[in-house]
Amino acid sequence: MNHIESYEKGFHKIRNMEYDWVSGKTPDIILPCERGEYLWLAVADLSYGLKFKELKRYNTSEKISQLLEDGDILITRKGATVGKMNMFFDLYHIPAFVNEDIKVLRIKGKIVDKVFTGMFLNSNYGQIQMLNLASRGTKQGLTNENILDVCIPNFDEKIKNKIFQEYYNACENNWNKSQTYLDYQITRNQKLGIYQLNMEMFAIRGKLEELVAQIVKQKEMQIDFMF
């Protein structure tokens, strides 16, 4: 904390930014479905290192109003995994929401500021602050006020943009056969942001699962790994 407060260009608290909180929801009835209408994210779906473990689709008859938006920051609020987090971007164009054990911080303004805030909260400096501010005892927990009291250094825009591109940097998948497909993907993956790499892993895994299902059912297959 002293390192942040002594930063030569100053710092600000999250509460000094424009923000909203988005509440989580657990529908009365929610059914797993391969082509479900919603993504419903729980604590178990978040992994350390700003990655998703799972992206499961569900159907529900309830109308969901607490939908996630690009750049939302997801933070686990209690238990042994308090402070574990990820960010959300709607790359699949599927409506998504979280359960009540995940806090959703929605920073208003430029996408770079949203991602920089998320990256700082996930850093050692951000995690230490959140854990120090969280309630102690057998039931650790983060309140909205705890998170809003986290101090963030006022980095230059150039540094914030570099951090942004490390995490979120989309690259078109336009293989033109001027090099082998494997060499092309190696080069492309070196440019992709962490978020895109994580999402493409899910896309490939989903296609592999479909292929296995077709093989088991002895159906005709058309293989295309471009996405």
Side-chain angles (χ1 to χ4, degrees), residues 56-79:
K56 299 174 184 175
R57 294 174 66 158
Y58 297 87
N59 279 331
T60 177
S61 59
E62 294 184 46
K63 182 175 177 60
I64 307 297
S65 58
Q66 306 96 318
L67 296 176
L68 298 177
E69 296 180 2
D70 282 350
D72 281 350
I73 301 170
L74 283 51
I75 308 170
T76 58
R77 69 181 183 88
K78 65 180 183 179

Side-chain angles (χ1 to χ4, degrees), residues 5-56:
E5 292 182 339
S6 61
Y7 182 60
E8 61 181 2
K9 296 187 178 179
F11 68 94
H12 63 276
K13 291 188 175 184
I14 293 179
R15 67 172 63 256
N16 300 132
M17 306 173 74
E18 288 191 71
Y19 64 87
D20 277 328
W21 293 103
V22 181
S23 58
K25 180 177 178 63
T26 299
D28 292 333
I29 299 176
I30 189 161
L31 303 172
C33 180
E34 184 179 347
R35 300 294 179 183
E37 183 181 358
Y38 294 100
L39 292 174
W40 183 44
L41 303 174
V43 172
D45 301 323
L46 274 61
S47 177
Y48 291 105
L50 293 165
K51 299 189 294 292
F52 289 113
K53 285 183 180 178
E54 297 287 346
L55 285 176
K56 299 174 184 175

Side-chain angles (χ1 to χ4, degrees), residues 148-164:
L148 294 178
D149 278 334
V150 171
C151 295
I152 299 180
N154 298 328
F155 281 6
D156 291 335
E157 289 298 317
K158 184 177 180 180
I159 297 175
K160 290 200 294 187
N161 273 289
K162 184 175 182 180
I163 293 171
F164 167 72

Side-chain angles (χ1 to χ4, degrees), residues 113-129:
D113 292 329
K114 299 179 184 184
V115 171
F116 177 70
T117 302
M119 296 303 96
F120 183 80
L121 286 173
N122 188 65
S123 71
N124 285 337
Y125 286 116
Q127 288 288 301
I128 289 171
Q129 287 190 67

Side-chain angles (χ1 to χ4, degrees), residues 156-205:
D156 291 335
E157 289 298 317
K158 184 177 180 180
I159 297 175
K160 290 200 294 187
N161 273 289
K162 184 175 182 180
I163 293 171
F164 167 72
Q165 290 182 349
E166 285 290 327
Y167 181 69
Y168 190 85
N169 190 29
C171 297
E172 293 294 326
N173 198 356
N174 294 323
W175 179 47
N176 58 16
K177 300 184 180 181
S178 61
Q179 58 185 143
T180 67
Y181 183 73
L182 181 59
D183 287 340
Y184 169 77
Q185 287 299 341
I186 290 172
T187 302
R188 178 173 175 270
N189 288 346
Q190 290 172 343
K191 300 176 183 177
L192 277 178
I194 295 169
Y195 192 88
Q196 280 77 12
L197 282 170
N198 188 211
M199 293 300 102
E200 292 197 358
M201 179 187 72
F202 283 115
I204 292 173
R205 189 167 70 184

